[in-house]
Amino acid sequence: MKIRVGIVGVTGYTGGELLRLLLNHPQAEVKKATSRSNAGNDVTLVHPNLKGEISLIEDEFEIDSFVKDIDLVFLALPHGKSAPLAREIYDRDVKIIDLGADFRIKDAEAYKLWYELEHACPELLEESVYGLPEIHKDEIQKAMIVANPGCYPTSIILALAPLLANKVISRENIIADSKSGVSGAGKTLTDTSHFANINENLHAYKVGNHRHIGEIEQELSLLGQSQLLINFTPHLVPMNRGILSSVYAIPVVKLRQKELDELYHEFYKDCPFIRLRDKDSLPQTKWVQGSNYCDIAPILDERTGRIIVFSAIDNLVKGASGQAIQNMNIMFGLDETTGLKLAGMYP
Amino acid sequence: MKIRVGIVGVTGYTGGELLRLLLNHPQAEVKKATSRSNAGNDVTLVHPNLKGEISLIEDEFEIDSFVKDIDLVFLALPHGKSAPLAREIYDRDVKIIDLGADFRIKDAEAYKLWYELEHACPELLEESVYGLPEIHKDEIQKAMIVANPGCYPTSIILALAPLLANKVISRENIIADSKSGVSGAGKTLTDTSHFANINENLHAYKVGNHRHIGEIEQELSLLGQSQLLINFTPHLVPMNRGILSSVYAIPVVKLRQKELDELYHEFYKDCPFIRLRDKDSLPQTKWVQGSNYCDIAPILDERTGRIIVFSAIDNLVKGASGQAIQNMNIMFGLDETTGLKLAGMYP
Amino acid sequence: MKIRVGIVGVTGYTGGELLRLLLNHPQAEVKKATSRSNAGNDVTLVHPNLKGEISLIEDEFEIDSFVKDIDLVFLALPHGKSAPLAREIYDRDVKIIDLGADFRIKDAEAYKLWYELEHACPELLEESVYGLPEIHKDEIQKAMIVANPGCYPTSIILALAPLLANKVISRENIIADSKSGVSGAGKTLTDTSHFANINENLHAYKVGNHRHIGEIEQELSLLGQSQLLINFTPHLVPMNRGILSSVYAIPVVKLRQKELDELYHEFYKDCPFIRLRDKDSLPQTKWVQGSNYCDIAPILDERTGRIIVFSAIDNLVKGASGQAIQNMNIMFGLDETTGLKLAGMYP
Amino acid sequence: MKIRVGIVGVTGYTGGELLRLLLNHPQAEVKKATSRSNAGNDVTLVHPNLKGEISLIEDEFEIDSFVKDIDLVFLALPHGKSAPLAREIYDRDVKIIDLGADFRIKDAEAYKLWYELEHACPELLEESVYGLPEIHKDEIQKAMIVANPGCYPTSIILALAPLLANKVISRENIIADSKSGVSGAGKTLTDTSHFANINENLHAYKVGNHRHIGEIEQELSLLGQSQLLINFTPHLVPMNRGILSSVYAIPVVKLRQKELDELYHEFYKDCPFIRLRDKDSLPQTKWVQGSNYCDIAPILDERTGRIIVFSAIDNLVKGASGQAIQNMNIMFGLDETTGLKLAGMYP
């Protein structure tokens, strides 16, 4: 029997991407989808690419009726909106994957610091699992609530995990210089998202205070078994999809490029969505466009002794909806690649 | 048993797109793929998006060994290169879909006129079928050689077919003003394809003498049962994928918008890849990006009495490799949508 | 002494472009600039490119104080806003160039039809001149109010003027298929202007009912000395600046390409901003980017007998602010190229 | 009397940009321009944006005839080509600004290391001045040969100069993560410059071994009065123009944001092309597009104690031809802003 899926907040980019990917999934079926802003509309008015694939009519949302006959709810909501709803769904014994930020940070105080908001159900934080399958697969298998990671954190944590887990770099002086396409910022209309302000332009934003820093430092500290701080600088690039993170670290042991490569191959040997690259094939965002892959290349700069790791993902797939489906597969005992072996679109 | 497929010329954009789509096809398997320029290389060096999906090693090409245990050969070659090879494959009783131009024009003289080349096997022209399934489905079912249509012709013929078949427009004064993304011109390096010359730029090219005119006029004349000429103006737009054709015609009968819509719905009622749109949802190339759909909106301009039809396709999918797979499905008795119900990627 | 200029509505794209161009003008000086939305702000908050060039503080707007010691007011306002203000400025004997739409259409009824608005001062319509210098230079010299043409109309009228004035084409079946960058739609935030909806996308809009049709038909009818209708289809292209119009017409006299070229050279021989191109150098929007040029190529398609004229402008320069300055130069007896001989930026 | 200028290598992007800018320069005139690839052609065939502005016919190049009546030669040639020619021009007592790389690195051994080439006239290296006017203005005034800096080095050195000169940062652990538009790589046709490979894509290249590292480390070491190494990572961004450098450094003294700002204001107080920005107006490449400005914002990340400096330039203007003209102005005793006070084009 197929996994019966409900989506709350289907009209955003991640909601649309969930639909696109689930339509190609052999073991899951979208049974219900809701949207406050588009209640009652045909979903293809909002996602015109899906016309002919699905004609789901979105309902008024009522919790008991919504979760009836549903095995899993994807929440694709702004932070602060997921938590109270998750409490209600959890109480009805239905599994949850939250694509928003409410369950990523385990410490309610830290959540408050980064999101300037009291957490609505701190008691559920320890029930929830940070849904980065390459790191937390075992816990995800047993979880009722999975907190799907942010797009930037996915790219940065995957870039650094082998180094920190193997204690080969200093926990000081880690810098993540990340560049993202515009869909990462969602559909909201702002001066920043106006075509004429993005096209032929490039700039950094939220230097040193982007909310994703909280979950990045939480997970890197776990991996490195000691609290650390990072510099994280996001930039906005004139393209729709894709994140490239260029991550700088200082080795504390003598390493050659070959050993560095082996360390990554070993760490990711059972991870079907990690593709390791090298200096002759540095990760390009277009290579992962539309796919659930994360391409990673760890580079040793012999002249300066520094390690630079590049990682590329599609922010809407491995950085959001694809990873959510990977988590669903794991939670329901399927092969984690089920329905996700779509090659990226190129060019 | 799966259809066993061979691809000749796998390193171009259409070759890569064939691989991408066939990897998701449940009833076909790519058994062999060759490339003169990359003989012996891993195909993912050329199509890095496919890394992890396929590791096909390309062989030296030898015809008998190549067609052994193959049910169908896709030819993705420049014009002039397909015809002689098709002759040899045909003689070995293997089906052929030619994504190039060599079998599209039925009249060897017209071929010579447009391609400035003597046709290598004119005797096969009448064996071959113009592979636009919405028009020639019955013949495609029985064909040994299918000539996969050009990208511009696909968008233009589909826009006009209902009007010409129903004799509601004049065969004079038909104008097709088409706009294409850059992948339509292939991977060849020219001044025209340099990023800095395309980006933030727009221009027409080959006004009145583009080679696709030959097949467009052939098919439109067939549909209209009388020889006609069209004005076709291609333009190059700063995007990777997508063709939008804006087609202008003069009605010869009194029509209302409602009747116009009905005429299109009736004509395309059995065509799963045609999505009809209207003035409130004029076709956008992004809505079909990565998918095999052709979105069409026929608009009556009541003020001037003219009909304007907009059609949008992804030039590499419905305009090339997706349509080729649709043809394969029909030739082998499968549902024509098999493996092609991928929703487009948006945004 | 320099022309003393005031700008009302300086914060839009055309306002910013006026500032950019006037800063390089040797005979004019911006004395005052106002904006309702940014009263009191430094103009470089809105136009950060101008930092270091100008630090004009915008004032509260009061008409008498504003026009004091001002020779010319540029109005860069939405339609409906210019007319009442123009009445007041006119009464104070100050010259006006309106970059908005309020004085372009001479017939108050037609204005009402296209803009769904009663004109605020129809009595001034006959005082105002349609400011396309290549056509109306003599009247512009004497005008108190110049209605600066729309961007699409500029490109289309200049493409057709030599043909209509010389009566070599039919007044029927004229089609203008125009493609525009996004800045033409202004800074307003809409779904349509969101980066992710424009980038890698292409579509038509307002087919057959765009407001610019009114002024296009008015001017073409004047040139052809007989009322005519056109088909005008605007399209939105993923770039910031530039309009390319592809204009189709049917000759009524026998013409060769050479005669066609001569006709254009003769018609535009005294027009410094018209650059004639040919089939080997079809106009490209990037060639005019940032400059006041209009590049035009009239092409005879001998196979079909049709004339196709391509014209390219920068919608913010020749399509708006550059043309406004050209009009200013003419109104004040300067050489019309003064301050405008900036070559376009390429690439 | 105007400065009489000759340009060798006028057909590249920097050659075209020199022409564009010099056409607007009141005190300089381009007398001669040559190109090996386009000898005898009208320069507007290569730079179609300049049609109507200049119709310079390029000559066969003969050194004595070329430098006759010329005050200054701009060399816009690939590395290795400038040096031998500069020797000949120098011997004829004509001033030189080399936009190529041959005179940037003062140490012939280091030149050989980075460019894998024996320097053709090492004896001229000490005659030449590194033409970054904000640092070396006095020497530029007296120079016969000015080595115009590379685009990346300009952005990085200007970002760091105040910090190193004031000894407030460690000379270790300096990281420059730079992002560039495509015109920086010139007109050469490569897979990398094909539109479809750049558009909707992003990647790093030449990690740790880009040739610009040589001149960056030379100048930073001079400023810091001690040899240092940096990590420099260039990235290619889907846009035509612009470089944004994000530069990371570790303070060695206690500093507040206010003091950091003051330090930059003091250092650059006499530099008309430096515009200082802050965290609420982080430099954007579009703000400097087409202009000679370098926008800089030094940011203190109080949480981590690190300094991050962002600098934005137009790689073809401040990163090449604009800076060359700024150098010319200084060499000939003009105000350094002469002919360069063009505001950038926005959007």
Side-chain angles (χ1 to χ4, degrees):
Chain A
M1 205 177 90
K2 290 190 175 187
I3 307 167
R4 297 162 303 173
V5 164
I7 302 174
V8 179
V10 77
T11 50
Y13 287 141
T14 53
E17 194 71 355
L18 269 176
L19 286 179
R20 178 178 83 90
L21 295 169
L22 286 169
L23 283 167
N24 200 53
H25 196 292
Q27 306 280 2
E29 191 175 358
V30 181
K31 288 289 188 183
K32 292 171 187 166
T34 73
S35 153
R36 191 143 50 162
S37 58
N38 280 272
N41 280 340
D42 188 314
V43 73
T44 66
L45 282 183
V46 184
H47 302 300
N49 56 317
L50 301 180
K51 191 178 176 188
E53 305 281 350
I54 193 169
S55 59
L56 199 71
I57 304 296
E58 301 162 38
D59 313 281
E60 283 304 309
F61 180 76
E62 195 280 317
I63 180 75
D64 283 306
S65 130
F66 188 80
V67 300
K68 188 165 160 356
D69 303 327
I70 287 292
D71 302 307
L72 171 71
V73 175
F74 289 103
L75 299 176
L77 298 173
H79 69 267
K81 302 289 183 196
S82 306
L85 187 54
R87 176 77 258 179
E88 299 197 61
I89 298 172
Y90 181 88
D91 291 345
R92 283 155 182 83
D93 227 20
V94 173
K95 290 180 175 172
I96 297 161
I97 295 176
D98 180 17
L99 285 88
D102 282 0
F103 294 93
R104 294 177 192 158
I105 296 181
K106 296 302 162 209
D107 174 352
E109 284 309 302
Y111 177 84
K112 189 174 172 183
L113 183 74
W114 288 105
Y115 290 92
E116 294 164 3
L117 203 68
E118 206 72 47
H119 199 283
C121 48
E123 71 283 2
L124 283 185
L125 287 175
E126 66 182 50
E127 301 286 322
S128 69
V129 173
Y130 191 78
L132 194 55
E134 288 74 14
I135 311 293
H136 297 295
K137 192 169 174 180
D138 291 347
E139 300 142 87
I140 295 166
Q141 278 172 326
K142 295 168 256 166
M144 281 299 291
I145 306 182
V146 165
N148 211 55
C151 48
Y152 285 123
T154 296
S155 74
I156 294 167
I157 300 165
L158 292 176
L160 285 167
L163 299 177
L164 285 166
N166 285 288
K167 300 194 189 316
V168 300
I169 56 167
S170 166
R171 287 184 306 268
E172 313 235 325
N173 290 314
I174 297 177
I175 292 171
D177 190 286
S178 296
K179 301 91 180 165
S180 176
V182 176
S183 61
K187 286 183 161 179
T188 315
L189 301 177
T190 63
D191 276 349
T192 305
S193 67
H194 191 292
F195 181 83
N197 289 338
I198 297 284
N199 185 39
E200 284 292 290
N201 198 8
L202 180 66
H203 60 88
Y205 67 103
K206 292 189 187 162
V207 179
N209 60 19
H210 192 287
R211 282 166 171 164
H212 282 174
I213 294 173
E215 59 180 289
I216 298 171
E217 292 184 348
Q218 165 184 292
E219 293 297 312
L220 294 183
S221 298
L222 262 175
L223 282 159
Q225 295 175 292
S226 163
Q227 192 60 34
L228 56 74
L229 297 181
I230 67 151
N231 279 103
F232 166 57
T233 313
H235 298 76
L236 208 48
V237 174
M239 58 186 195
N240 281 354
R241 289 179 177 228
I243 285 178
L244 182 75
S245 288
S246 311
V247 185
Y248 299 84
I250 302 176
V252 290
V253 298
K254 202 88 186 156
L255 268 178
R256 294 192 181 163
Q257 181 66 52
K258 191 162 166 286
E259 293 155 337
L260 191 57
D261 289 336
E262 284 166 2
L263 191 147
Y264 274 76
H265 276 98
E266 177 60 25
F267 191 88
Y268 286 127
K269 66 174 187 290
D270 297 324
C271 297
F273 292 116
I274 303 293
R275 296 191 300 200
L276 294 172
R277 306 279 189 175
D278 59 26
K279 77 174 169 44
D280 298 322
S281 65
L282 292 172
Q284 305 197 5
T285 59
K286 199 200 290 268
W287 295 352
V288 297
Q289 177 184 253
S291 87
N292 200 47
Y293 287 109
C294 177
D295 283 12
I296 300 176
I299 306 292
L300 178 69
D301 183 348
E302 298 203 352
R303 215 178 59 92
T304 62
R306 194 175 294 269
I307 292 173
I308 310 166
V309 190
F310 299 95
S311 69
I313 59 169
D314 183 322
N315 55 296
L316 292 181
V317 189
K318 184 62 179 167
S321 306
Q323 185 145 271
I325 293 171
Q326 187 181 356
N327 279 318
M328 175 190 79
N329 288 339
I330 295 169
M331 290 165 88
F332 286 84
L334 302 176
D335 183 288
E336 68 185 300
T337 67
T338 311
L340 289 173
K341 292 294 282 180
L342 288 169
M345 205 177 79
Y346 186 90
Chain B
M1 206 178 86
K2 290 188 173 186
I3 307 166
R4 297 162 304 174
V5 164
I7 302 174
V8 179
V10 78
T11 51
Y13 288 141
T14 53
E17 194 70 355
L18 270 175
L19 286 180
R20 177 178 84 91
L21 295 169
L22 287 168
L23 283 167
N24 200 52
H25 195 290
Q27 307 280 2
E29 191 174 359
V30 181
K31 288 289 190 184
K32 290 170 188 167
T34 73
S35 154
R36 191 146 48 164
S37 57
N38 280 272
N41 280 340
D42 188 314
V43 74
T44 66
L45 282 182
V46 184
H47 302 300
N49 56 318
L50 301 180
K51 190 178 175 188
E53 305 281 350
I54 192 168
S55 59
L56 200 72
I57 304 294
E58 301 160 39
D59 313 281
E60 284 302 309
F61 181 77
E62 195 280 317
I63 181 75
D64 283 306
S65 130
F66 188 80
V67 299
K68 189 165 160 357
D69 302 327
I70 288 291
D71 303 306
L72 170 71
V73 176
F74 289 103
L75 300 176
L77 298 172
H79 70 266
K81 302 289 182 197
S82 306
L85 187 54
R87 177 76 259 178
E88 297 197 64
I89 297 170
Y90 181 88
D91 292 344
R92 284 158 181 82
D93 227 19
V94 173
K95 289 180 175 174
I96 297 161
I97 295 176
D98 181 17
L99 284 88
D102 282 0
F103 295 94
R104 295 177 191 159
I105 296 182
K106 297 301 164 209
D107 175 351
E109 284 310 303
Y111 176 84
K112 188 175 172 183
L113 183 74
W114 288 106
Y115 289 91
E116 293 164 3
L117 204 69
E118 206 71 49
H119 199 283
C121 48
E123 71 283 2
L124 283 186
L125 287 175
E126 66 183 47
E127 301 287 321
S128 69
V129 173
Y130 191 77
L132 195 54
E134 288 74 15
I135 312 292
H136 296 296
K137 192 169 174 179
D138 292 347
E139 300 143 86
I140 294 166
Q141 277 173 327
K142 296 167 257 166
M144 281 298 290
I145 305 181
V146 165
N148 211 57
C151 49
Y152 285 123
T154 295
S155 74
I156 294 167
I157 299 164
L158 291 176
L160 285 168
L163 298 177
L164 285 165
N166 284 289
K167 299 193 191 315
V168 298
I169 57 167
S170 166
R171 285 184 308 268
E172 314 234 326
N173 291 315
I174 297 177
I175 292 171
D177 190 287
S178 295
K179 301 91 178 165
S180 176
V182 176
S183 63
K187 286 183 160 178
T188 315
L189 301 177
T190 64
D191 276 348
T192 305
S193 67
H194 190 292
F195 181 83
N197 289 337
I198 297 284
N199 184 41
E200 283 292 290
N201 198 9
L202 181 66
H203 60 89
Y205 67 102
K206 292 190 187 162
V207 180
N209 61 20
H210 192 287
R211 282 166 171 162
H212 283 173
I213 294 173
E215 61 181 287
I216 298 171
E217 292 184 347
Q218 164 185 290
E219 294 297 313
L220 295 183
S221 298
L222 262 174
L223 281 159
Q225 294 174 295
S226 162
Q227 191 61 34
L228 56 74
L229 297 182
I230 67 151
N231 279 102
F232 167 57
T233 313
H235 298 75
L236 207 48
V237 175
M239 59 186 194
N240 280 355
R241 289 181 177 228
I243 286 178
L244 182 77
S245 288
S246 311
V247 185
Y248 299 84
I250 302 175
V252 290
V253 297
K254 201 89 184 154
L255 268 179
R256 296 192 180 165
Q257 181 66 50
K258 192 162 166 285
E259 294 156 336
L260 191 57
D261 289 336
E262 284 166 2
L263 191 147
Y264 274 75
H265 276 97
E266 176 61 23
F267 192 88
Y268 286 126
K269 67 174 187 289
D270 298 324
C271 297
F273 291 115
I274 304 293
R275 295 191 300 200
L276 294 173
R277 305 280 190 175
D278 60 28
K279 77 175 168 46
D280 297 322
S281 65
L282 292 172
Q284 305 198 6
T285 59
K286 199 200 289 268
W287 294 351
V288 297
Q289 177 184 253
S291 87
N292 200 48
Y293 287 108
C294 177
D295 282 13
I296 301 177
I299 307 292
L300 179 68
D301 182 348
E302 298 203 354
R303 215 179 59 92
T304 62
R306 194 175 295 269
I307 292 172
I308 310 167
V309 190
F310 299 95
S311 70
I313 59 169
D314 182 321
N315 55 296
L316 292 180
V317 189
K318 183 64 178 168
S321 306
Q323 184 144 271
I325 292 172
Q326 187 182 357
N327 280 317
M328 175 190 78
N329 288 339
I330 295 169
M331 290 165 88
F332 286 83
L334 303 177
D335 184 287
E336 66 186 301
T337 67
T338 310
L340 289 172
K341 291 294 282 180
L342 287 169
M345 204 177 79
Y346 187 92
Chain C
M1 206 178 89
K2 290 189 173 185
I3 308 166
R4 297 163 305 176
V5 164
I7 303 174
V8 178
V10 78
T11 51
Y13 286 142
T14 54
E17 195 70 357
L18 270 174
L19 286 179
R20 177 179 83 93
L21 295 169
L22 288 167
L23 283 167
N24 199 52
H25 195 292
Q27 306 280 1
E29 191 175 358
V30 180
K31 288 289 190 185
K32 290 169 189 167
T34 75
S35 155
R36 193 147 44 163
S37 57
N38 280 272
N41 280 341
D42 188 314
V43 75
T44 66
L45 282 183
V46 184
H47 302 300
N49 57 318
L50 301 180
K51 190 178 177 189
E53 305 281 349
I54 192 168
S55 58
L56 199 71
I57 305 294
E58 300 160 39
D59 312 279
E60 283 302 309
F61 181 77
E62 194 281 316
I63 180 77
D64 284 307
S65 132
F66 188 80
V67 301
K68 188 164 162 354
D69 303 327
I70 288 292
D71 303 307
L72 171 71
V73 176
F74 289 103
L75 299 177
L77 298 172
H79 70 266
K81 303 289 180 196
S82 305
L85 187 55
R87 176 76 260 177
E88 298 196 63
I89 298 170
Y90 181 88
D91 291 344
R92 283 157 181 81
D93 227 19
V94 173
K95 291 180 174 171
I96 297 160
I97 296 176
D98 180 17
L99 283 88
D102 282 359
F103 295 94
R104 294 178 191 158
I105 296 181
K106 296 302 162 209
D107 175 352
E109 285 310 303
Y111 176 84
K112 190 175 170 183
L113 184 73
W114 288 105
Y115 290 91
E116 293 163 3
L117 203 68
E118 205 72 47
H119 199 284
C121 49
E123 72 283 2
L124 283 186
L125 286 175
E126 66 182 47
E127 301 286 321
S128 70
V129 174
Y130 191 78
L132 193 55
E134 288 74 14
I135 311 292
H136 297 295
K137 191 169 175 179
D138 291 348
E139 301 143 85
I140 294 166
Q141 277 173 326
K142 296 168 255 165
M144 281 300 289
I145 305 181
V146 166
N148 212 55
C151 49
Y152 285 123
T154 296
S155 74
I156 294 167
I157 299 164
L158 292 175
L160 285 168
L163 299 176
L164 285 166
N166 284 289
K167 300 193 190 316
V168 299
I169 56 167
S170 166
R171 284 184 308 268
E172 313 233 325
N173 290 315
I174 298 177
I175 291 171
D177 189 286
S178 295
K179 299 92 179 165
S180 176
V182 175
S183 63
K187 286 183 162 177
T188 315
L189 301 178
T190 62
D191 276 348
T192 305
S193 66
H194 191 291
F195 181 83
N197 290 337
I198 297 286
N199 184 41
E200 285 292 291
N201 198 7
L202 181 66
H203 60 89
Y205 66 103
K206 291 188 187 165
V207 179
N209 61 18
H210 192 287
R211 282 165 170 163
H212 283 173
I213 294 173
E215 61 181 289
I216 297 170
E217 291 184 349
Q218 165 185 291
E219 293 297 313
L220 294 184
S221 297
L222 262 175
L223 280 160
Q225 294 176 295
S226 163
Q227 192 60 34
L228 56 75
L229 297 181
I230 67 153
N231 279 102
F232 166 57
T233 312
H235 298 75
L236 206 49
V237 175
M239 59 186 195
N240 280 355
R241 289 180 177 229
I243 285 178
L244 182 76
S245 288
S246 310
V247 185
Y248 299 83
I250 301 174
V252 291
V253 298
K254 201 88 185 156
L255 268 178
R256 296 192 180 164
Q257 180 66 51
K258 191 162 167 286
E259 294 156 336
L260 191 58
D261 289 336
E262 283 166 3
L263 190 148
Y264 274 76
H265 276 100
E266 178 61 26
F267 191 87
Y268 286 127
K269 68 174 187 289
D270 298 323
C271 297
F273 292 116
I274 304 293
R275 296 191 298 200
L276 294 172
R277 304 280 188 174
D278 59 28
K279 77 173 167 49
D280 298 321
S281 66
L282 292 172
Q284 305 197 5
T285 58
K286 199 199 290 268
W287 294 353
V288 298
Q289 176 184 254
S291 88
N292 200 48
Y293 287 108
C294 177
D295 282 12
I296 299 176
I299 306 292
L300 179 68
D301 182 349
E302 298 203 353
R303 215 178 60 92
T304 61
R306 194 176 294 269
I307 292 172
I308 310 166
V309 190
F310 300 95
S311 70
I313 59 170
D314 182 322
N315 54 297
L316 292 180
V317 189
K318 184 62 177 169
S321 306
Q323 185 145 272
I325 293 171
Q326 187 182 356
N327 279 318
M328 175 191 79
N329 288 340
I330 295 168
M331 290 165 88
F332 286 84
L334 302 177
D335 183 288
E336 67 186 298
T337 67
T338 310
L340 289 173
K341 291 294 280 179
L342 287 170
M345 204 176 79
Y346 187 92
Chain D
M1 206 178 89
K2 291 189 173 187
I3 307 166
R4 298 161 304 176
V5 163
I7 301 174
V8 179
V10 77
T11 49
Y13 287 141
T14 54
E17 194 70 356
L18 270 174
L19 286 179
R20 177 178 84 92
L21 295 169
L22 287 167
L23 284 167
N24 200 53
H25 195 291
Q27 306 280 2
E29 191 175 0
V30 180
K31 287 291 189 183
K32 291 170 187 167
T34 74
S35 153
R36 194 147 44 165
S37 58
N38 280 271
N41 281 340
D42 188 314
V43 74
T44 67
L45 282 182
V46 184
H47 302 301
N49 56 318
L50 300 179
K51 191 178 175 188
E53 305 282 349
I54 192 169
S55 59
L56 199 72
I57 304 295
E58 301 160 37
D59 313 281
E60 284 301 310
F61 181 76
E62 194 280 316
I63 180 76
D64 284 306
S65 130
F66 187 80
V67 301
K68 189 166 162 354
D69 304 327
I70 288 292
D71 303 307
L72 171 71
V73 176
F74 289 102
L75 299 176
L77 298 172
H79 70 267
K81 302 290 181 196
S82 305
L85 188 55
R87 176 78 258 178
E88 297 197 64
I89 297 170
Y90 181 88
D91 291 344
R92 282 155 182 85
D93 229 20
V94 172
K95 289 179 175 170
I96 298 160
I97 295 176
D98 181 16
L99 285 88
D102 282 0
F103 295 94
R104 294 177 191 159
I105 296 181
K106 295 305 162 205
D107 175 352
E109 284 310 302
Y111 176 85
K112 189 175 170 182
L113 183 73
W114 288 105
Y115 290 91
E116 293 164 2
L117 203 70
E118 206 70 49
H119 199 284
C121 49
E123 71 283 2
L124 283 185
L125 286 176
E126 67 182 48
E127 301 286 322
S128 69
V129 173
Y130 191 77
L132 193 56
E134 288 74 14
I135 311 292
H136 297 294
K137 192 169 175 179
D138 291 348
E139 300 142 86
I140 295 166
Q141 277 174 327
K142 296 167 258 167
M144 281 299 290
I145 306 181
V146 165
N148 212 56
C151 48
Y152 286 123
T154 296
S155 74
I156 294 167
I157 300 165
L158 292 175
L160 284 168
L163 298 177
L164 286 166
N166 284 289
K167 299 192 190 316
V168 299
I169 56 167
S170 166
R171 286 185 306 269
E172 313 235 325
N173 291 315
I174 298 177
I175 291 171
D177 189 287
S178 295
K179 299 91 180 166
S180 176
V182 176
S183 62
K187 286 183 163 178
T188 314
L189 301 177
T190 63
D191 277 348
T192 305
S193 66
H194 191 291
F195 181 82
N197 289 337
I198 296 285
N199 185 40
E200 284 293 290
N201 198 7
L202 180 65
H203 60 90
Y205 66 103
K206 291 188 187 163
V207 180
N209 60 20
H210 192 287
R211 281 164 171 164
H212 283 173
I213 294 173
E215 60 182 289
I216 297 170
E217 291 184 348
Q218 165 184 292
E219 294 297 313
L220 295 184
S221 298
L222 261 175
L223 282 159
Q225 294 175 294
S226 164
Q227 191 60 34
L228 57 74
L229 298 181
I230 67 152
N231 278 103
F232 166 56
T233 312
H235 299 74
L236 208 49
V237 175
M239 60 186 195
N240 281 356
R241 289 180 178 228
I243 285 178
L244 181 76
S245 289
S246 310
V247 185
Y248 299 84
I250 302 175
V252 291
V253 297
K254 201 90 186 153
L255 267 178
R256 294 189 183 167
Q257 181 66 51
K258 190 161 168 285
E259 293 156 336
L260 191 58
D261 289 336
E262 283 165 4
L263 190 147
Y264 274 76
H265 276 99
E266 178 61 25
F267 191 88
Y268 285 127
K269 67 174 189 288
D270 298 324
C271 297
F273 291 116
I274 304 293
R275 297 192 299 201
L276 294 172
R277 305 279 188 175
D278 60 28
K279 77 174 168 48
D280 297 321
S281 66
L282 292 173
Q284 305 198 5
T285 58
K286 199 199 290 267
W287 295 352
V288 297
Q289 177 183 253
S291 88
N292 201 49
Y293 287 109
C294 176
D295 282 13
I296 300 176
I299 306 292
L300 179 68
D301 183 348
E302 299 203 353
R303 215 178 60 92
T304 61
R306 195 176 293 270
I307 293 172
I308 309 167
V309 190
F310 299 95
S311 70
I313 59 170
D314 182 321
N315 55 296
L316 292 179
V317 189
K318 184 61 178 169
S321 306
Q323 184 144 273
I325 293 171
Q326 187 182 357
N327 279 318
M328 175 191 79
N329 288 340
I330 295 169
M331 291 165 87
F332 287 84
L334 302 177
D335 183 287
E336 67 185 298
T337 67
T338 311
L340 289 173
K341 291 294 281 179
L342 288 169
M345 206 177 79
Y346 187 91

